[in-house]
Every structure is written in C-alpha cells, then in structure tokens.
Amino acid sequence: MHKLIALLFPALRAPVLLLIALVLTGCAGLPPRTPEPPSQAIAASPATALGRAAVRLNTPPDGLSSLRPLIEASYALDARLELIRRAQSSLDVQTYQLGNDKTGRLLLRELRDAARRGVRVRLLLDDFYTAGMDRLLLGLASEPNAEVRLFNPFVNFRDHSSSRWLEFFGDFRRLNHRMHNKLFVADGAMAIAGGRNLADEYFQRSEVANFIDFELVMAGPVVTESAAIFDTYWNSDVVYPLQRVAGTTRTPAELKSAFDADTGRTYAPPPDPLPATDLLGDPPLAAQLANIDEAKWMRAEAHATADSPNKALGVMAHPTESLAQRFHEMLATAQSSVVVISPYFIPGDEGMARIRMGRDHGINITVITNSLADSDEPLVNINYNRYRVDMLKLGVNLYEVSTQQLRRSGQFRDLLKKARGRLHAKLALVDRQWVLLGSMNLDPRSARLNTEFGVRVRSFDLTQALLFAYQLDDIEGVYRVVLKPDGQNVQWIGTGDVTNEVLDSEPDSSMLTRLQLLLFSWFVPTDQL
C-alpha cells in the first residue's frame, strides 16, 4: 500500500495538492533536534549464556563466523523467542514493520519481560506502519530498561493510516524515505538477519497470505559488525525517541496496565509447537544451545553492511555507501553463475546492461520473482514485465512464484493451507560460493530511497543448503517463463505437477486487473518503485 499511494503522488492534480497543503497548514513539524546521549551496543561477554555459546561456536577464533539458516518461518519465530528469553544483557531490534497482530504483540510482550529481568532493550522501528500503535509502544517504553525510537517519524495524525496520508503527501520529499532494515541482536553475541518483518504473514501465521522468506542466525565477528551498524542508526539524526513525537495523557502505570491487557494470551497467543527438526534436519535453537558442543553450525567468512541512515536525508557522501552499489559489484565478480531471488525485480537500463555483460561472458543467470497474481506490490510487477522479453532473449532463466503452483508442490502444500503464498526472500547466489542476503529488493526504491541492511557470506555449504531447500536445481511451485515461438511474447509453463500446463496470459489474473494496473503504471515514475 505504501508504494501504491506514494507512487500516485506525482500524478495528483494541483487542486488536490493545494487542499492537502491547506489542511496541513498549522500542523506541527518535526520537534527540535536535541542531541541524545550516545548509546552503544553492549559487547558479547562470557558472563552471559549466549556469550559463552558464541565463544564455543567460534573456537578456535579464526576470523570466521558461525551461521545457521532459518528457512522455515516457524523456526525463525522460535529463534527470536529463544534469544529474547535467554538474553541477559541487551536486545537490539531493528525492523521496517512490527505488526499490530498476534506476532507483533507477542514479541513486544517478550521484550517487556526481558526489560523487567534487567535486560537493556532498544527497539528501532521505521514509523510507516506504526499507526494506532503508540499506546502499545509507549507501554514498552515506560519500562526503565526499554527504549523505543522511530526512524523518520510522522508527527501529525498518528492514530490512523488514512489521516497519515495527508502528512505523507504534504511532506513527501522527507517521508518517502523509509528504513527497510531488519536486524535482531541478543547480548551482542548472536544476531538474526534477513528479509522477515515482525508480523503474522512473515511467520506463516496469517490466514490470508504468507511469505516465503530467508534469514540467518549468526555468531562471531559478523555480529559485532551488525551491532555497530545498529548503533549508527540508533544515534543518527533521522531517529527520534518515541516520546518526542507520540504524546499521551496516560501515566506510566496506566500505560503498563494497558500493555498487559493488549499483549495477553488472547491477543498474543504463543506459536504452535515445533517439529523435532527443520527442513535441513536441525533441531530448534533451544536444543542446539542446550548441547552447543554438538551443534552443527556452518563456519564461513561473513560480513554485514548497510546504507548510511543519511540516505533518508538525501545525503550520500560516496557511491560506496550504497548497499545496492556494493551488491552489484559483488554480482559482477561472477565467473559462472548468478541466481537472484527477489520479490520485486525491476532491472532498469543499468541492470539490463549488467545482465547483458554477464551473458556476454557466459554467466548463467537465473531470476526468481513473484507472479503478477501473487505479488503484494502488483505495480512493481507491471514495470518488471517491460523487461521480460529482453531478459529471455539474452538467455536469462526466468521463474515466477505462484500460489496455485506452490499448492501442487509437496513441500509447500501443507504449509500454505488456505492462505496465498508469496515470495519475500531477498537472496543472490554467486558461483555457488557466495550468498548475499538481507532486506534489499532489486528495484529503484531499495537502491535510491529506502535504507537497507545486508550480509555477504562465502560458503559452499550455505549455498548447497539453499539449493536443496528451495530446489533451485529443479524448481517446483513456480511458472517457468519462456519466449513464444514468435520470439516477441512470453508464455508460462507450470512446474508444480506432472501436467506442466502452458499459459499464454498472466497466470491467475483477470484481464480487468491487468488493464487497471497498466493504466496506473502510466502515472507512476519507475524510479519510485
């Protein structure tokens, strides 16, 4: 929804803009920027259980990090709950979206409980999806050991999403920049990074639509790098303490009482019990930590990197500060193969030039993205469609994720149940040796407007695990997109069962839907997608 309305902004007529400007006249702007005392990550220590576990996982110290893939959503949620409950010194959580749902409320309650145990809790949220959540967040922030800060916050009309759009349009240049980073650090010793936001649909707990995503649990030097990046954001000029922008007449006691009610088991039920092992044969994190000497974590060279938070101010001191630039530089080192997995994929002219260069050098390139029917940002898909034929002519292997195909695949049939299935993982595999993961989509918005966080890992074992988990050598649950015999149009070949149906139009979408999106796309600048 953010993209859909934000992208229509340039097409609004002058009278509408004038009305918005009049409505906003007299509304408060950002509060004065007063320096906050710098706050730094608490380093890992053998005085904590997680610190000791990290030492055992990284013995002998050799500059490598220990990694465990989180492919299944239920294990990803469980890992967060375990780390919160075991934390003894600090929890640093950064995310684009914290859902006002059973998952978001469950995590807030667990963070509150940790703060009451004496753990320092720092929660950093992008402010785009916090409408109506001030009371909940203030309840957490009322705890002596907990602090909540907002990235690039809204100031007016905070309670309702519909009224926030007035401020969004009135301050478009500022508010169109968002923090898309996702990072979770416990005791400075273990971290989780990848693509998941903290809401039901990212942990297979939605009855409407759920996302296929990927993350890593990490221990070792990459965690220290990640914690330093968190500090850079936490102390940046784009971040404000929650209380500075969210006023309340409630006392701390009243906020705590409301928080207790809002995060009780009725509104924040625990997740279902986990199976004994995940897709890769690994037990839940609790079992691994209980028997750390037997835990089979991957050892690899891993490095964390991110955009500067000043990207939200339109200030980038050097192109190397751009995560997108570093990502493309890494892809350019490919010698044999590149597999790109991205829910939103718009290569643009620069991306097409890179693809052409890679193919000229014999690089096998595979792109996996969402189909039009299963994208939660269909306008992005319409713009991606403009590049399909050219990519196929260059010899790119192109696949589109489809709910109907996923339900025919044994691996996802039971997982999705009645909900739609959508791709949300952001991954690249280079030469079956390097893995790039994080929050960055391959579209202009991630490259130019949003801030992003990523991890670069050199690991044959991790690459093989991903190839197995997502069946990348024999993909199922998707449509394979190919050129028609005329060489100018595309068709879709199913992979979910033995019938392998062939379609000549966008799968699972009506002509009316395609026409409406095409008309919208005429008014939407591609650089806003």
Side-chain angles (χ1 to χ4, degrees), residues 301-312:
E301 176 187 344
H303 296 284
T305 186
D307 288 315
S308 164
N310 291 333
K311 187 179 181 182

Side-chain angles (χ1 to χ4, degrees), residues 118-196:
V119 177
R120 188 192 69 178
V121 174
R122 297 189 296 177
L123 176 61
L124 175 55
L125 303 174
D126 183 85
D127 199 32
F128 193 82
Y129 283 105
T130 62
M133 294 185 68
D134 283 354
R135 186 176 77 172
L136 265 175
L137 298 175
L138 287 167
L140 174 61
S142 66
E143 299 293 334
N145 292 317
E147 187 174 359
V148 179
R149 293 188 181 181
L150 303 175
F151 184 94
N152 204 13
F154 289 76
V155 180
N156 308 291
F157 314 116
R158 291 190 53 79
D159 288 340
H160 302 286
S161 297
S162 56
S163 57
R164 278 191 180 202
W165 287 112
L166 291 174
E167 184 174 0
F168 183 83
F169 290 140
D171 200 0
F172 181 79
R173 183 180 297 273
R174 176 178 72 86
L175 292 172
N176 193 35
H177 291 275
R178 306 310 327 167
M179 181 192 76
H180 198 236
N181 309 37
K182 290 97 174 172
L183 178 63
F184 183 105
V185 184
D187 283 354
M190 294 189 180
I192 298 175
R196 291 185 178 97

Side-chain angles (χ1 to χ4, degrees), residues 346-365:
I346 303 179
D349 293 340
E350 292 182 11
M352 289 302 298
R354 293 187 185 98
I355 290 172
R356 189 172 294 106
M357 184 180 300
R359 293 295 300 137
D360 287 345
H361 286 83
I363 307 301
N364 185 289
I365 299 175

Side-chain angles (χ1 to χ4, degrees), residues 40-57:
Q40 305 299 326
I42 298 175
S45 167
T48 68
L50 292 179
R52 291 190 294 275
V55 169
R56 299 301 291 269
L57 287 170

Side-chain angles (χ1 to χ4, degrees), residues 60-103:
D62 52 8
L64 302 181
S65 294
S66 294
L67 314 168
R68 180 201 171 201
L70 292 174
I71 293 169
E72 294 173 74
S74 56
Y75 280 80
L77 178 57
D78 176 76
R80 285 175 170 83
L81 295 175
E82 283 299 326
L83 291 178
I84 293 174
R85 292 166 183 170
R86 292 169 182 267
Q88 295 172 271
S89 64
S90 65
L91 288 162
D92 293 336
V93 181
Q94 180 181 17
T95 189
Y96 174 58
Q97 181 183 3
L98 176 72
N100 191 4
D101 54 23
K102 56 181 178 285
T103 299

